[in-house]
Amino acid sequence: MASEEESFAVLVHHRGSIKRKTRSGVKFTDKNPLYIVVNRTTSYDDLVRSVLMKLGLEGAKRIKKFFYRIPGVRTGIPPSSSVPVYEPAAQLVASPTFAVDLNDGVRDEVGSFDVLPNALHGVPPVGVGDGELGDPNEDDVEPETIEDDSGDEVVAAGPALAGGGSSSGTQQYPPYFSSLDLDAMTHEGALGHAVGFGARDAEGNAGLTEFQVGQQFQDKDEALLSVKTYSIRRGVQYKVVESDHRRYVGKCSEFGNGCTWLIRLSLRKRKGIWEVKRYNGPHTCLATSISSDHRSLDHSVISAFIMPMVRADASVSIKVLLNATAAHFGFRPTYRRVWMAKQKAVGLIYGDWDESYSEIPRWVLGVQLTMPGTVAVLRTSPVRVGGQVDESQAYFHRLFWTFPPCIEAFRHCKPLVSIDGTHLYGKYGGTLLIAIAQDGNSNILPVAFALVEGENAESWTFFLSHLRQHVTPQPGLLVISDRHNGIKSALEAPDGGWLPPSAYRAFCIRHVAANFALTFKGKDARRLLVNAAYAKTEVEFDYWFDILRSENPAMCEWANRNDYSLWTQHHDEGRRFGHMTTNISECVNSILKGVRNLPVASLVKATYGRLAELFVRKGREAEAQVGTGQQFSQHLVKCIEANLKTARCFTVTLYDRDNSEFTVAETTPTGTFSLGTYRVSLASQTCDCGYFQALHFPCQHALACCAYARVSWSSYVHSVYQITSVFNVYWMGFTPPILEGFWPPYDGPTVIPDPNRRRAREGRPRSTRIRTNMDEADPNRPKRCGLCRQPGHTRRCCPQVVGSSQTGRN
């Protein structure tokens, strides 16, 4: 008896004709059958699935009938016997043979059976027809054609572009030729799932399945996408012979030189769909060159492929999209092409890049109707045509906006604001300026925005003047920023309202350290500078500064060029509340993720939706904490608990009868910088360690003094840390936006993008990254080709590329 591991080769005829026999079954005239391997455990559904998978029609069509024949078996063998295949795979003499009927309209004939779930043991199941064993003396009778069904009852979204083995016998290079998959070369896979050449892709389409006459598409773009994808999968090139609003004709690039591939698609006006009217396929040409790129893999094809990834995350990097495209199609497009594809995908999802600017004025009216009190200031510049001003159009220049909940929230936040800018990554350049606040629970909160042409004195003045007027009028405010000259000019303007004592300025230590690293290399030196900046006392600052001076006196000279009050914590008089950076990266990554990649209208709409969600989530958290009876924020509670653990090891000495002046001695080493003994004043809320006055809540030494004097430490905590203050930050929520159809009409010039902000159309988009001396190439190192890595030439004139292109032309 045959073992369970024995396999059988099944030939499936899906083209040609059937010749019904009266004595010896049926005969098939298809010269290019499919080859499928089955075994004794293969179910009938597995066979059906394997056939459809090979044809690339799984999910699009069904098999109604099988016409079967078992050649190479003597008549005396009973039908229930299995027919093992002992010959090599190329010898298919003793293989069971089936013909597939994909046409539901074929009448029942002798030797056919309906597709039913059953087990397949080398021969058809019992009772599924009366086909007989083969006879060498067969008489031809009435033929019945069994071509692929192209009726209207099955409308495919595009050509099946996935992987069953091709029945055409052509020998062009597979799309995976330029990308080796060693696992696919050795893995045999499960039955019915092709592996290696012609394997199914992630979407389950058959990349090597041919078009069919009558195949329909929703529009021309969908039809062209299918033709291009087919060409990419085949690894061949084609040229467009005719293309207009009614028809599309493409021919193989080798048409007339041994290949007859041609496709003609036409528009059916009544149905408004495109249909394949003529198709000569498959290709019979042989590829003469190999390339890592494909002409049909343009930004439209890539855009359709990466659409789900861009929809899920608009901030997905070009490198990730490029690698995904290369892995899917087997060809590696250029960076610029993928960048253009992403912009197209973003435009299709979030609106056209150019038309987005014209939506800004209506959005301003709509959001002000939705939430009265919203501040939105739009600035435009005139459009000149032939020396005359075009009154019907205006260039977008700048936009400032903020919402009433943000204005109200800042009244309950810490009295400081961080400002910074981040570049836009879309079709048009520009900069998004953001003002960021912090609540008493150390949560960051963007409170104002501006879209400007870039970071300069005028744009920062525009942003900061409206920020001061509408959002942050409080006196004594601290502004944390980088050292940009435009910010300096705007803050130092006499009428700007940002001069002391109305407001003070401080530098972001992250930017200071980055500028420091441009001159002095080494992580240790940068770490010493940051430690000195974070020091909360002058003694600790001198400790780290002396170590820095011992490393290189020039480092201290560089640091002394800026006033200590701008970049050190011990000289800020407690205005920082412990915050040393602008938090711009944290804000963009956690709250505004992906908005820099959107058209401007979608960007400003996203800020409304993101902030509405943020206020709901943080407001619920604060409300739940208020309901449990908590008095202070979770951040403060964690800090106090950590300080209490250390406070138990101190020795406290009282120095006045009012229980306000103490000395605290550390009885055990702390392992960090320590003075040993500290003076604490509860009345003035100061400590020699600097934490009390810098963070505005009791340090470990102050907690020890409160325990010694039996007074509550809660009276020495700043009001911003109270849970009621945190709740008040998010107390005023956002209103659901009014539908755009109900927005007030806009009567004014059409706002259009400034063409000068358009990114370069040729080459890779120019990087906005600040170059440092770390990016400078070694002058003694010879330049090498990016392809063959040989010196003396570049990739444009690489002899390897020139040779292969000449071969392709020949």
Side-chain angles (χ1 to χ4, degrees), residues 513-522 552 554-555 558 561 772-773:
N515 294 332
F516 178 81
L518 296 177
T519 305
F520 305 100
K521 306 301 178 183
N552 187 352
M555 298 179 182
W558 185 95
R561 296 173 187 172
T772 67
N773 51 2

Side-chain angles (χ1 to χ4, degrees), residues 591-608:
I591 303 175
L592 303 176
K593 184 176 179 62
V595 300
R596 297 184 296 172
N597 305 81
L598 304 180
V600 291
S602 297
L603 187 154
V604 295
K605 293 176 184 177
T607 59
Y608 189 96

Side-chain angles (χ1 to χ4, degrees), residues 536 577 632 635-647 650 664 680-707 711-719 721-722:
K536 296 176 176 59
F577 278 74
F632 299 103
H635 171 73
L636 178 75
V637 171
K638 291 180 180 179
C639 294
I640 293 296
E641 289 177 351
N643 290 339
L644 285 173
K645 292 180 181 180
T646 312
F650 296 155
V664 178
V680 178
S681 174
L682 295 179
S684 59
Q685 299 185 10
T686 60
C687 178
D688 284 347
C689 71
Y691 279 77
F692 202 173
Q693 52 267 40
L695 304 180
H696 301 278
F697 61 81
C699 61
Q700 52 193 0
H701 309 104
L703 290 175
C705 295
C706 291
V711 296
S712 175
W713 54 264
S714 60
S715 59
Y716 302 104
V717 177
H718 195 284
S719 60
Y721 294 108
Q722 295 181 2

Side-chain angles (χ1 to χ4, degrees), residues 1 11-12 49 71 126 130 136 165 174 260 272 320 409 415 466 512 581 588 600 609 619 639 649 685 703 719 772 795:
M1 178 177 293
L11 298 181
V12 181
R49 191 180 303 109
V126 178
D130 54 358
T260 60
V320 171
H466 290 289
V512 173
T581 64
V588 171
V600 291
C639 294
C649 303
Q685 299 185 10
L703 290 175
S719 60
T772 67
R795 77 167 58 220

Side-chain angles (χ1 to χ4, degrees), residues 19 61 140 315 571 624 689:
K19 296 183 179 180
K61 295 190 177 182
D140 293 341
S315 63
H571 266 291
C689 71

Side-chain angles (χ1 to χ4, degrees), residues 25-41:
V26 293
K27 178 181 179 181
F28 311 114
T29 61
D30 185 8
K31 296 182 180 179
N32 296 289
L34 300 179
Y35 172 59
I36 297 178
V37 178
V38 300
N39 55 37
R40 295 175 60 88
T41 61

Side-chain angles (χ1 to χ4, degrees), residues 473-492:
Q474 296 88 340
L477 196 69
L478 179 70
V479 180
I480 303 177
S481 69
D482 59 23
R483 302 194 302 168
H484 196 280
N485 289 331
I487 300 177
K488 178 182 178 181
S489 176
L491 292 177
E492 294 179 354

Side-chain angles (χ1 to χ4, degrees), residues 4 8 38-44 70 79-84 96 98 118-125:
E4 294 292 334
F8 306 91
V38 300
N39 55 37
R40 295 175 60 88
T41 61
T42 302
S43 67
Y44 204 78
I70 308 177
S80 60
S81 301
S82 60
V83 187
F98 295 90
N118 221 322
L120 182 65
H121 297 289
V123 295

